[in-house]
């Protein structure tokens, strides 16, 4: 039996930000979130260019049978193209040098996902009522947790918890995590920026995903929870359910949100 994705996407600047440095995309075969590096030059341009490159990958992938392709290589190549575009933009405009972004991209082939990840945006799966984090944060604080120097609870309160160790940044080499996730019918996936996970606990994320009737409701409540918690950063969420059958007309479009408008695309705030 063929399975497909039913998706929703949303992005909010948060109550304390005037701009949005996040960009994100959903499409029948791709989920992606990029969070421009705060405190650096033109993080919004970096995230927008990254999502644009991944959107071009999706447009090509939509016309081929991904079950016959090396999807890990395809998503790796999509991120490599994003990195190339960041370098090209920075070469053309010195003010853009040093701009960077996180990226978490999940390429769907009807059976599962090829995942490319760098930074501290996250991907989760809700399966049989249990929430599992699929990605590993590339932050200084996470490295301290991995080394056993601090606990996970201490990491959540650490003043430098958002300091990134690995990013996609113009003029610099990058290192991706690449892996595959086999999906099951009934799975619910979340890809999000740290504007959600910095202020909303995994337990609250689980409850929102578990109790929402569809992806659009899940996106709404996740963003609402982050805003109610103070929302110091931009908040972006993509939710996808694995459902039986081929995509319907309502599932077949590409939707982008956030800072991507800087590259000339329209910006719906939320859709499914």
């Amino acid at each position: 039996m063929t399975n497909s994705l039913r998706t929703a996407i949303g992005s909010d600047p948060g109550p304390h930000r005037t701009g949005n440095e996040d960009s994100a995309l959903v499409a029948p075969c791709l989920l992606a979130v990029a969070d421009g590096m705060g405190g650096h030059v033109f993080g919004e341009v970096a995230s927008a260019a990254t999502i644009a490159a991944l959107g071009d990958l999706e447009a090509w992938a939509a016309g081929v049978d991904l079950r016959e392709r090396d999807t890990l290589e395809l998503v790796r190549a999509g991120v490599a193209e994003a990195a190339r575009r960041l370098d090209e933009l920075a070469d053309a405009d010195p003010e853009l040098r040093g701009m960077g972004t996180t990226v978490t991209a999940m390429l769907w082939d009807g059976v599962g996902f090829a995942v490319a990840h760098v930074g501290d945006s996250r991907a989760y799966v809700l399966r049989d009522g249990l929430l599992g984090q699929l990605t590993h944060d590339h932050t200084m604080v996470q490295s301290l947790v991995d080394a056993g120097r601090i606990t996970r609870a201490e990491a959540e309160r650490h003043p430098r918890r958002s300091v990134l160790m690995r990013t996609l940044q113009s003029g610099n080499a990058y290192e991706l995590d690449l892996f595959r996730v086999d999906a099951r019918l009934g799975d619910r996936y979340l890809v999000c920026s740290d504007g959600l996970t910095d202020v909303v606990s995994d337990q609250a994320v689980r409850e929102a995903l578990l109790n929402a009737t569809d992806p659009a409701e899940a996106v709404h409540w996740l963003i609402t929870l982050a805003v109610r918690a103070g929302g110091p950063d931009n908040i972006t969420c993509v939710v996808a359910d694995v459902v039986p059958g081929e995509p319907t007309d309502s599932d077949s479009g590409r939707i982008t949100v956030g800072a991507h408008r800087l590259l000339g695309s329209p910006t719906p705030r939320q859709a499914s």
Side-chain angles (χ1 to χ4, degrees), residues 35 181 225:
D35 180 357
V181 175
L225 287 171

Side-chain angles (χ1 to χ4, degrees), residues 44-53 85 89 259-266:
E44 69 277 10
V45 176
S47 72
T50 296
I51 290 300
R85 293 187 190 186
L89 287 168
H260 75 95
R261 67 185 181 278
L262 295 169
L263 299 184
S265 301

Side-chain angles (χ1 to χ4, degrees), residues 75-94:
V75 75
R76 184 209 63 77
V79 176
E81 172 61 14
R84 187 196 68 78
R85 293 187 190 186
L86 296 189
D87 288 342
E88 185 178 69
L89 287 168
D91 287 344
D93 183 350

